[in-house]
Amino acid sequence: MNGKEVRLRQLYKTPERLFILPLDHGITLGPVSGLKDIHDVVGKVSKTVDAVVVHKGLVQRITDSLDHQGCKLIVHLSASTALAPDSSKKELVTSVEHALSIGASAVSIHVNLGSPAENQMLLDLGKTAEICDMWGIPLLAMMYVRDGSAKSEYDPEKVRHSARVAEELGADIVKVNYTGNIETFRDITESVKIPVIIAGGPKMASDSDLLSMISDAVVAGAKGVAIGRNVFQHETPDVLAGKIRSILER
């Protein structure tokens, strides 16, 4: 095995499916509910989730919790804020090399297809994948369709296209929105050879809605989840994380 294969295996606490907790929302949205004390939420769920996603400046605030529970660190490389004229334009704000130097087991990058800045984000994705290959570090591509239509974000053909873009440009794992339908999502998971995981999206109306979505995605071939707000904004994030883990281990 090469270094990337070793790190990919180490991301998983159990071999079947991946449970990632994204905590990178602070740059986009500010210190939203659940992230004011990021150390607290990581401490509650780190024994359950496989990895957390954070920006470089918060790594030192969560290191203790990660070390004690075997939870891995994914450093997010790109960012934009909701205050920007074009918040869909993600810029690289750190490097693969810096992520490695602060202890990352993997890195992630966000791409919005259909955005006016799509070309630059695709260039960043492709070049980042090459650097990840050189250093042997896994790359998670967070792929969304942001062409100005809310329907596009869940359109099966467009979501399938976004997953294929990630694979063709060298990502090791791709995160996409769940399409809302087992059959259409199965078509997506069968269209690429890299693991497809689903995004959690905005806070859902109920735990049962969230867990039902995760269960359906697993049936459709999803290899894991990246659930952020629905976990860290929950009144008992550790309990919900345990329920999600149970579904992923079926």
Side-chain angles (χ1 to χ4, degrees), residues 83-148:
L83 305 175
D86 180 9
S87 61
S88 70
K89 182 181 180 182
K90 299 294 180 177
E91 299 276 3
L92 289 177
V93 292
T94 190
S95 66
V96 174
E97 292 87 349
H98 183 71
L100 280 167
S101 76
I102 58 176
S105 294
V107 295
S108 59
I109 190 170
H110 183 138
V111 175
N112 289 319
L113 297 180
S115 161
E118 176 190 290
N119 60 334
Q120 183 60 52
M121 287 182 279
L122 289 179
L123 180 62
D124 291 340
L125 171 58
K127 289 187 173 181
T128 299
E130 293 175 6
I131 298 170
C132 286
D133 285 344
M134 182 174 66
W135 289 105
I137 186 167
L139 173 62
L140 164 64
M142 303 181 180
M143 305 295 293
Y144 296 93
V145 181
R146 301 275 167 81
D147 60 6

Side-chain angles (χ1 to χ4, degrees), residues 146-219:
R146 301 275 167 81
D147 60 6
S149 169
K151 291 183 178 179
S152 292
E153 295 204 34
Y154 303 92
D155 181 276
E157 288 301 314
K158 293 180 179 181
V159 174
R160 184 173 68 161
H161 190 173
S162 67
R164 187 57 178 257
V165 169
E167 181 182 45
E168 297 223 7
L169 289 181
D172 302 290
I173 304 168
V174 59
K175 180 180 86 166
V176 297
N177 281 331
Y178 181 61
T179 57
N181 177 276
I182 291 175
E183 292 306 315
T184 59
F185 200 74
R186 180 179 287 119
D187 189 37
I188 293 164
T189 62
E190 292 178 349
S191 295
V192 296
K193 299 302 182 186
I194 60 175
V196 178
I197 66 175
I198 64 164
K203 190 81 163 59
M204 297 181 74
S206 68
D207 291 356
S208 61
D209 287 346
L210 175 68
L211 297 173
S212 177
M213 178 183 73
I214 295 169
S215 181
D216 287 351
V218 167
V219 170

Side-chain angles (χ1 to χ4, degrees), residues 8-79:
L8 275 170
R9 290 193 180 191
Q10 290 174 343
L11 277 180
Y12 293 74
K13 285 182 176 175
T14 57
E16 291 300 317
R17 299 182 184 94
L18 192 61
F19 186 178
I20 295 174
L21 177 67
L23 299 170
D24 57 303
H25 303 69
I27 286 184
T28 305
L29 303 174
V32 294
S33 172
L35 289 186
K36 292 181 180 179
D37 186 352
I38 195 168
H39 182 272
D40 179 64
V41 70
V42 172
K44 289 177 179 177
V45 302
S46 59
K47 67 179 180 181
T48 307
V49 304
D50 295 298
V52 297
V53 177
V54 297
H55 284 285
K56 59 181 180 179
L58 295 185
V59 171
Q60 61 182 354
R61 291 174 57 184
I62 62 172
T63 300
D64 288 348
S65 294
L66 299 181
D67 287 347
H68 293 159
Q69 301 294 347
C71 183
K72 301 301 182 185
L73 170 67
I74 301 175
V75 173
H76 199 43
L77 304 181
S78 56

